[in-house]
Amino acid sequence: MAASTSKQVIFAALAGNTAIAVTKFAAALFTGSAAMMSEAIHSAVDTGNQVLLLIGLRRAARPASETHPFGHGLQLYFYTFVVAILIFGLGALVSILHGLQRIRAPEPIQNPWINYLVLGLAVLFEGGSWWVALKAFNRQRGGRPLLPAVRESKDPTVFTVLFEDTAALTGLVIALIGVVASHVFGLPVIDGVASVAIGVVLALTAGFLAFESQSLLTGEAADPATRAGIAAIARAEPGVDGLNDLRTMHFGPNEILVALSLDFDDRLSAGEVEATVARLEHRIRAAHPQAGRIYVEAQSLASHAAVRAAVMAGGGPGALVSDVPGGATMTPRTTA
């Protein structure tokens, strides 16, 4: 269902951006507007980005293999990161450089009314795509504030399209102001300033999306409610004396790796421990279907504490930043 919703949002943005890009390029070449050319480049980049997101969704859906035993879900996060880089490299930088060139050598805009018409239509088309993305994102966030919902979301496709469209609408307003001001005041340099401003908007958008996607790409834990739910199920399972450790990691929007270290009742036989693990996995998956792979380690509390203390002292691969003596003072975005 989530993948279907994401594709609908992306296809809506793809259709709108393709039509808008063609129209903007034609208007920019006809009128000579730098702001309009920046907007055309922006729409062309957005069109390519939608294609990349569709490729990411398709590649992420491939099943696990010998070389990728945990599946290919992280591909989606990789392609989202590439999209952010393209927005910055092909959108922001080109717009800024084009604007600076026009500021150094300003030229009057020819037939500005064509720009007004194109920008007005673009606002309508882009607004439609933005509305589709906003409705899909609102369904996902379930009443949570906007930015916390983005920070906690594990599906980057919808909020990427939403932020792209938001940046596009902002850019359209800036371009319209630049074209009108250049025309009314007879100052073509304002058109170049508008192009630079559009580039800055794209750079800020790209920076935010890159930060969010790299965090997912490098291994984010499940949300706190999911982790708490899994821990509660483990502690309540008959035959489990205690939960030593719980680690989770997203391998895609709807797939979580769960690793548990449990202290089992010493009176249980090996067969009873196996049966307990089977029941536990069934109950976790029933409550949290996204728990695709569950690994359970049987270890006494004392043994686990000794191993953990040794790892923490050295700040090894299993150490949490907040638990390492003398470690970093920055709080990580999420902890497993």
Side-chain angles (χ1 to χ4, degrees), residues 84 87-89 91-93 96 167 197-209:
I87 292 175
F88 181 80
L93 291 183
I96 291 173
I198 292 170
V200 172
V201 170
L202 294 178
L204 293 174
T205 303
F208 180 79
L209 292 177

Side-chain angles (χ1 to χ4, degrees), residues 39 165-175 198 201:
E39 275 298 302
D165 288 346
T166 302
L169 284 172
T170 304
L172 286 169
V173 172
I174 294 174
I198 292 170
V201 170

Side-chain angles (χ1 to χ4, degrees), residues 54-244:
L54 289 172
I55 293 173
L57 281 172
R58 182 173 181 176
R59 292 181 66 85
R62 292 182 299 168
S65 64
E66 290 287 338
T67 55
H68 291 82
F70 293 105
H72 297 78
L74 292 177
Q75 291 266 358
L76 179 59
Y77 299 152
F78 168 75
Y79 277 93
T80 305
F81 186 75
V82 172
V83 164
I85 298 301
L86 287 177
I87 292 175
F88 181 80
L90 293 181
L93 291 183
V94 172
S95 294
I96 291 173
L97 291 175
H98 191 68
L100 292 176
Q101 180 183 12
R102 186 53 57 92
I103 291 173
R104 288 194 295 266
E107 296 179 7
I109 298 174
Q110 304 297 323
N111 302 305
W113 299 108
I114 295 178
N115 282 338
Y116 300 155
L117 176 61
V118 170
L119 289 173
L121 291 174
V123 168
L124 292 177
F125 293 138
E126 198 74 64
S129 172
W130 177 85
W131 183 247
V132 171
L134 179 63
K135 289 195 298 183
F137 182 72
N138 283 339
R139 287 195 296 269
Q140 285 186 358
R141 67 174 176 153
R144 292 173 294 170
L146 178 63
L147 287 180
V150 172
R151 300 294 305 277
E152 296 168 10
S153 174
K154 308 304 186 222
D155 184 357
T157 52
V158 174
F159 74 69
T160 295
V161 174
L162 178 62
F163 273 76
E164 275 188 352
D165 288 346
T166 302
L169 284 172
T170 304
L172 286 169
V173 172
I174 294 174
L176 186 58
I177 293 173
V179 171
V180 171
S182 297
H183 182 209
V184 172
F185 298 110
L187 295 173
V189 70
I190 298 178
D191 186 46
V193 173
S195 180
V196 173
I198 292 170
V200 172
V201 170
L202 294 178
L204 293 174
T205 303
F208 180 79
L209 292 177
F211 177 80
E212 292 300 319
S213 57
Q214 67 80 26
S215 183
L216 291 165
L217 183 61
T218 52
E220 276 199 8
D223 61 84
T226 299
R227 300 200 305 269
I230 294 174
I233 293 172
R235 291 191 178 99
E237 182 65 34
V240 175
D241 283 350
L243 171 63
N244 299 324

Side-chain angles (χ1 to χ4, degrees), residues 242-257:
L243 171 63
N244 299 324
D245 200 4
L246 166 63
R247 300 290 176 99
T248 61
M249 178 179 168
H250 266 272
F251 276 85
N254 301 304
E255 184 171 358
I256 300 171
L257 169 69

